[in-house]
């Protein structure tokens, strides 16, 4: 029988240091899928090419209900580069009022999607989903995309702990990789 410590170490969010760098450990109680236009469904730790990320993804919430509403935050914790992420975190997107069992197109985009454009090293792009207490919550939004803190945003807006999270990796494309 596997211990809970062994299971936690094998969790891709722990292995990828999303838990720790961006969010605290949490109980994943809602399933979330993220799909980019290229029909690529994001899997934890997978590498995607920035050229395939120019359009905002479709984020689908599974396991909620029509009375539940969710907030999605997308960040890059590795700005400007993973070896010295002094601008940690960079905010890429916020969508709120996403009804349970639907996708982000039914939500309200409060911070416009910004295409990932890593310049140095391999960057993690993290999607964090929170369950809202009610619809039409008034959010305190950041004044800058750089220096964003997912934990602080959740605390400031009384979102509690995440209900789902997912991440992918991307790095700058060379001319040969774009072909």
């Amino acid at each position: 029988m596997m211990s809970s410590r062994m299971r936690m170490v094998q969790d891709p969010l722990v292995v990828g240091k999303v838990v720790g760098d961006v969010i605290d450990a949490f109980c994943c109680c809602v399933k979330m899928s993220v799909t980019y236009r290229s029909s690529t469904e994001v899997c934890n730790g997978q590498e995607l090419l920035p050229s395939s990320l120019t359009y905002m993804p479709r984020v689908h919430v599974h396991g909620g209900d029509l009375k539940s509403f969710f907030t999605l935050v997308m960040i890059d914790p590795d700005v400007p580069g993973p070896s010295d992420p002094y601008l940690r975190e960079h905010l890429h997107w916020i969508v709120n009022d996403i009804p349970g069992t639907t996708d982000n197109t039914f939500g309200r985009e409060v911070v416009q999607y910004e295409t990932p454009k890593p310049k140095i090293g391999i960057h993690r792009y993290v999607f964090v989903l929170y369950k809202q207490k009610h619809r039409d919550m008034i959010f305190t939004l950041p004044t800058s995309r750089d220096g964003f803190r997912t934990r602080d945003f959740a605390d400031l807006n009384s979102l509690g702990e995440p209900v789902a999270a997912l991440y992918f990796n991307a790095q700058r494309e060379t001319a040969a990789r774009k072909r």
Side-chain angles (χ1 to χ4, degrees):
M1 190 160 123
M2 194 180 328
S3 73
S4 61
R5 180 166 164 70
M6 285 179 70
R7 277 193 304 270
M8 187 173 181
V9 170
Q10 293 174 345
D11 181 332
L13 296 171
V14 173
V15 172
K17 296 184 180 175
V18 170
V19 170
D21 287 351
V22 179
I23 54 177
D24 296 321
F26 68 99
C27 178
C28 184
C29 53
V30 172
K31 186 170 173 10
M32 169 178 61
S33 62
V34 177
T35 308
Y36 275 91
R37 200 174 221 181
S38 61
S39 298
T40 302
E41 186 170 337
V42 175
C43 297
N44 278 318
Q46 152 186 35
E47 184 171 346
L48 299 176
L49 298 174
S51 59
S52 69
L53 308 171
T54 55
Y55 298 100
M56 79 173 102
R58 175 162 256 154
V59 178
H60 195 93
V61 177
H62 311 271
D65 57 53
L66 293 176
K67 294 178 184 175
S68 299
F69 292 91
F70 297 88
T71 295
L72 175 74
V73 177
M74 178 186 176
I75 59 99
D76 174 355
D78 301 316
V79 174
S83 62
D84 185 19
Y86 64 86
L87 294 175
R88 176 177 289 169
E89 303 160 15
H90 182 82
L91 176 63
H92 279 268
W93 197 28
I94 297 177
V95 181
N96 71 355
D97 291 339
I98 303 170
T101 72
T102 65
D103 62 52
N104 58 290
T105 59
F106 293 95
R108 187 168 56 99
E109 186 178 53
V110 292
V111 174
Q112 188 174 17
Y113 178 76
E114 181 180 277
T115 302
K117 294 178 184 165
K119 296 190 181 352
I120 303 166
I122 299 170
H123 289 240
R124 297 165 293 169
Y125 293 89
V126 183
F127 297 93
V128 183
L129 189 70
Y130 294 94
K131 186 173 182 180
Q132 296 174 203
K133 291 183 178 177
H134 55 82
R135 186 179 187 171
D136 296 325
M137 286 180 63
I138 305 297
F139 285 99
T140 301
L141 296 173
T143 55
S144 171
R145 289 182 185 252
D146 286 328
F148 182 81
R149 298 280 189 262
T150 303
R151 287 179 182 101
D152 293 348
F153 175 77
D155 287 345
L156 188 62
N157 292 291
S158 301
L159 291 170
E161 67 179 34
V163 294
L166 188 62
Y167 83 102
F168 66 88
N169 297 315
Q171 60 184 311
R172 183 176 178 192
E173 291 180 70
T174 62
R177 286 186 78 198
K178 287 184 181 178
R179 292 183 196 150

